[in-house]
């Protein structure tokens, strides 16, 4: 439900659903759920234009996801981390994460590959200069 609400631009409602799901995952001691919903919150923070928040959430999600070993989740975390870093003008830092996501999703022949490729392209783009005037 949170993802649908995010896609509809209903960010406050999406955040509430993700927070509820995250709290439930914590109560159930579901490590994969905690990583997934933390990453969903990172994706939402990117969509809201809060890249520093997104970076912290995506980094936490990646740290949680790596021991689980689910490659699609790791790739999603890497994609969101790369997006967050690129949005802060730190594309060079984000590039290894985007490359990792592209490599994983290419190997899996995942339909999520275009999103990782877009994150890689964002990391390669020069940082936007501040507007004057």
């Amino acid at each position: 439900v949170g993802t649908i609400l995010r896609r509809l631009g209903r960010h406050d409602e999406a955040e509430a659903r993700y927070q509820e799901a995250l709290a439930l995952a914590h109560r159930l001691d579901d490590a994969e759920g905690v990583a997934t919903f933390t990453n969903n919150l990172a994706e939402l923070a990117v969509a809201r234009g809060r890249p520093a928040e997104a970076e912290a959430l995506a980094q936490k999600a990646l740290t949680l996801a790596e021991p689980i070993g689910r490659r699609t989740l790791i790739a999603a975390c890497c994609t969101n981390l790369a997006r967050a870093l690129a949005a802060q003008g730190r594309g060079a830092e984000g590039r290894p994460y985007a490359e990792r996501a592209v490599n994983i999703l290419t190997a899996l022949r995942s339909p999520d590959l275009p999103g990782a490729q877009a994150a890689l392209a964002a990391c390669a783009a020069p940082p936007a200069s501040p507007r004057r005037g």
Side-chain angles (χ1 to χ4, degrees):
V1 174
T3 300
I4 293 167
L5 292 167
R6 179 186 49 77
R7 288 180 182 165
L8 291 172
R10 294 165 57 182
H11 295 154
D12 290 340
E13 293 171 85
E15 182 175 11
R17 297 298 84 73
Y18 288 147
Q19 290 290 358
E20 289 170 8
L22 181 59
L24 182 59
H26 276 295
R27 279 196 306 270
L28 296 174
D29 200 26
D30 176 5
E32 186 172 338
V34 172
T36 298
F37 298 120
T38 300
N39 190 56
N40 288 348
L41 287 165
E43 188 171 12
L44 179 61
V46 169
R48 288 179 136 176
R50 298 178 182 167
E53 178 184 344
E55 177 188 357
L57 288 164
Q59 185 62 63
K60 181 177 182 179
L62 181 58
T63 299
L64 295 167
E66 286 180 321
I68 296 165
R70 202 177 107 216
R71 294 188 305 162
T72 54
L73 179 56
I74 291 168
C77 295
C78 286
T79 298
N80 285 328
L81 184 52
R83 286 178 181 150
L85 291 165
Q88 295 176 78
R90 295 163 51 204
E93 290 176 60
R95 185 178 180 91
Y97 296 104
E99 289 173 343
R100 184 176 180 196
V102 166
N103 290 338
I104 290 169
L105 297 173
T106 298
L108 296 175
R109 296 188 173 142
S110 171
D112 296 329
L113 179 59
Q117 291 170 323
L120 182 57
C123 287
S129 57
R131 290 188 162 185
R132 295 201 169 119

